[in-house]
Amino acid sequence: MFSVKYWCNPWKNTWSTFGKRVGCSWTFGCSCHHAQGSLSKKKQRTATSHLRRKKVPCQSVLDHFDQQYRLELGDLWTSARAVLLNPDFWQYGVMLNRFTAVSDLRRTLKTQGFFSVRLQTEESSAPPTQPCLKQPEGNGPMSTAECITKGLSDDSNLQTDCGSHCLQSELSESPLLQCYIHPYPQRFPSQAHRPSCLKQYYLLNAASLLPVLALQVKNGENILDLCSAPGGKAIAIMQSCNPALLCCNEPDPHRRDWLAKTLESFLPPSVNSCVIVSAQDGRYFGQSEPSKYDKVLVDAPCSNDRSWLYSPGGQQGEQRLRERAMLPALQTQLLKSALSAVCRGGTVVYSTCTLSRAENCSVVEAVLNDCPEAELEDLWEELAVSFSKHFCFSHDQKAPLQSGTIAPCDSRLGILVVPHPGKTWGPMFVSRIRRKL
Ligand SMILES: C[S@@+](CC[C@H](N)C(=O)[O-])C[C@H]1O[C@@H](n2cnc3c(N)ncnc32)[C@H](O)[C@@H]1O
């Protein structure tokens, strides 16, 4: 019953002709009210103002990136730089929410020129086992419902026609991670948070689904999302399987509120008992919950190149660059903690959204050197080769070196998506480590 009317003077440009976006407006209908309303004047102003506002890159961050990434990436930095400095050309993915009715949305997306990326690997599309069996124990972390009722909204609101109807009809189906992308920088409107209505889709950088695919989650597993806010990957995990438990951890209180709101917006009350929110410092999870999880995702705090490049004012950029040097130590501790929290034979996926070698390969290398029970898994064939049509991956170690560059990161340590004209996704680094039996 989803109904979207979306008129957008789409990009008049392609990668070869740099044109101008002319204007964009839409009305938006929500299936749960079976009504269609237009955006308020204020919202329309907000919706169109981003078209006028030009993002200004922070010069000190750009200089720093130029210095580091020219050495680390050579020519790939030239094309990544061109993409990062042109936000008008960024692509956006639309991840569908399987807990809502999405047939009309699919049609709308196709009409707009979006197409579905085949994301399900054989592992992740295994038939359902027993979904959502375990309840959170004792004084453990808050459940989504608890978290939500403690301040965000009344989760009973979710049991409106949208929640209950879609839940019955669609939850019984096999989990399915569905993402639509557009060959050009066509932006789909975001959906506003409505306490009584589940959202039908989540807008994201499609490369951020790679860590979730690498995790190969299965029904009935215990999964830890160690650094979870704002919750995009947690939602992707819930699209991919019916876990026994998904623990979403976020120590920062403001970001945890954001996470809770995301969970509330995308998940029906019936899965509340298997999705819990925790507030620990991830570095100590391995001690507090040793060997408890089948899978752990460490989507680590990092220097987020896309957003750092647009740090407002010179000061914030410089402050971030000072803090950058401290990140690898924190990331290493988080990854080690994850390896203790995962059971023997279980896997940990480490990911960042930076191109920085110090935060990617070097962190993985340090952990492998320190943890004899850690065994690296090669993602090149499984993900880089499979998705090379959509994403640009950095050269592997066999690529010829240019003079003036340093040895490229060994792609066996992890795969790196580098933004590239026409494939603007990333940056995204993904590595998978198994804890030996
Ligand atoms: C890259 S973001 C995670 C994005 C999230 N996985 C998603 O897909 O929406 C990293 C998160 O790690 C959190 N973080 C920072 N320090 C942490 C720590 N010591 N333990 C756990 N999480 C931490 C940050 O607050 C931030 O929300």
Side-chain angles (χ1 to χ4, degrees):
M1 300 298 281
F2 182 92
S3 164
V4 159
K5 275 197 188 158
Y6 175 63
W7 298 285
C8 181
N9 274 332
W11 303 90
K12 297 275 183 193
N13 41 29
T14 64
W15 279 99
S16 51
T17 54
F18 278 50
K20 261 200 217 152
R21 193 173 190 176
V22 194
C24 179
S25 65
W26 55 81
T27 61
F28 208 82
C30 175
S31 63
C32 47
H33 301 299
H34 302 286
Q36 194 160 295
S38 22
L39 289 176
S40 67
K41 284 231 164 70
K42 186 174 165 220
K43 281 191 176 158
Q44 281 178 13
R45 273 201 303 276
T46 317
T48 49
S49 64
H50 79 275
L51 301 176
R52 291 190 299 270
R53 237 183 296 125
K54 183 122 180 73
K55 284 183 165 213
V56 181
C58 173
Q59 194 57 46
S60 49
V61 174
L62 181 60
D63 291 345
H64 181 92
F65 284 180
D66 274 339
Q67 214 177 15
Q68 179 178 351
Y69 295 150
R70 247 185 224 136
L71 279 177
E72 292 183 5
L73 295 163
D75 279 350
L76 270 185
W77 171 238
T78 311
S79 48
R81 187 185 196 275
V83 171
L84 294 176
L85 289 176
N86 277 292
D88 285 352
F89 290 90
W90 296 357
Q91 289 163 279
Y92 296 87
V94 183
M95 173 173 68
L96 307 195
N97 184 8
R98 72 177 172 111
F99 300 108
T100 63
V102 286
S103 323
D104 286 357
L105 171 60
R106 268 201 210 101
R107 271 194 291 277
T108 306
L109 285 164
K110 283 180 189 160
T111 312
Q112 298 285 323
F114 284 82
F115 60 92
S116 167
V117 188
R118 187 175 158 69
L119 291 167
Q120 221 72 351
T121 60
E122 272 175 31
E123 282 281 331
S124 58
S125 59
T129 51
Q130 292 183 306
C132 304
L133 295 176
K134 292 188 189 166
Q135 300 286 334
E137 286 161 18
N139 297 328
M142 288 178 281
S143 75
T144 315
E146 282 171 318
C147 185
I148 289 163
T149 45
K150 278 200 175 113
L152 281 165
S153 79
D154 177 1
D155 73 319
S156 62
N157 285 342
L158 286 174
Q159 307 208 35
T160 57
D161 45 349
C162 177
S164 53
H165 166 76
C166 300
L167 190 62
Q168 295 314 317
S169 60
E170 301 204 19
L171 233 194
S172 54
E173 288 178 14
S174 295
L176 184 61
L177 181 57
Q178 304 167 85
C179 182
Y180 282 73
I181 61 174
H182 200 283
Y184 302 118
Q186 175 89 309
R187 196 175 174 158
F188 209 64
S190 56
Q191 276 185 305
H193 174 76
R194 296 173 191 225
S196 58
C197 182
L198 295 184
K199 290 189 183 182
Q200 278 128 334
Y201 58 91
Y202 189 94
L203 297 180
L204 77 179
N205 184 322
S208 65
L209 292 177
L210 292 174
V212 176
L213 292 177
L215 210 53
Q216 296 186 331
V217 290
K218 296 200 194 80
N219 295 331
E221 285 185 332
N222 288 327
I223 303 166
L224 170 61
D225 182 7
L226 194 65
C227 312
S228 192
K233 295 185 187 66
I235 296 305
I237 289 170
M238 290 304 291
Q239 303 304 309
S240 313
C241 71
N242 294 319
L245 173 70
L246 171 62
C247 176
C248 302
N249 181 64
E250 175 56 55
D252 180 305
H254 298 294
R255 292 183 64 88
R256 197 163 57 250
D257 282 351
W258 188 6
L259 166 69
K261 208 165 182 173
T262 308
L263 297 174
E264 181 201 7
S265 297
F266 285 88
L267 304 181
S270 65
V271 301
N272 282 351
S273 60
C274 64
V275 182
I276 58 177
V277 174
S278 134
Q280 280 197 59
D281 182 326
R283 290 175 290 181
Y284 308 112
F285 235 96
Q287 286 163 26
S288 62
E289 302 193 0
S291 306
K292 177 170 173 183
Y293 296 93
D294 300 294
K295 304 278 165 68
V296 181
L297 175 62
V298 186
D299 188 33
C302 69
S303 34
N304 192 339
D305 297 343
R306 237 176 232 257
S307 103
W308 280 32
L309 196 52
Y310 293 96
S311 306
Q315 274 186 347
Q316 190 183 8
E318 274 155 32
Q319 170 71 16
R320 283 174 159 172
L321 291 176
R322 278 193 292 278
E323 288 166 4
R324 197 176 204 209
M326 264 108 77
L327 283 168
L330 170 64
Q331 291 155 342
T332 306
Q333 285 176 294
L334 288 167
L335 185 48
K336 283 184 179 173
S337 167
L339 269 166
S340 303
V342 83
C343 62
R344 293 194 176 278
T347 47
V348 174
V349 167
Y350 174 76
S351 58
T352 72
C353 50
T354 176
L355 298 168
S356 171
R357 168 152 351 151
E359 298 177 47
N360 296 336
C361 295
S362 304
V363 168
V364 173
E365 210 162 17
V367 171
L368 291 172
N369 287 338
D370 280 3
C371 307
E373 75 275 23
E375 190 173 53
L376 188 67
E377 296 202 327
D378 194 342
L379 293 173
W380 188 259
E381 288 292 323
E382 183 183 314
L383 291 181
V385 172
S386 306
F387 291 102
S388 58
K389 193 172 135 203
H390 304 298
F391 305 121
C392 170
F393 292 91
S394 81
H395 330 268
D396 68 7
Q397 68 281 12
K398 292 171 217 95
L401 278 184
Q402 296 171 272
S403 62
T405 61
I406 51 178
C409 174
D410 187 333
S411 64
R412 280 167 301 190
L413 289 168
I415 53 170
L416 179 65
V417 181
V418 183
H420 193 77
K423 294 176 176 177
T424 63
W425 316 103
M428 183 58 57
F429 173 80
V430 192
S431 177
R432 186 169 68 208
I433 297 173
R434 181 173 296 277
R435 185 171 171 199
K436 290 180 195 161
L437 282 169

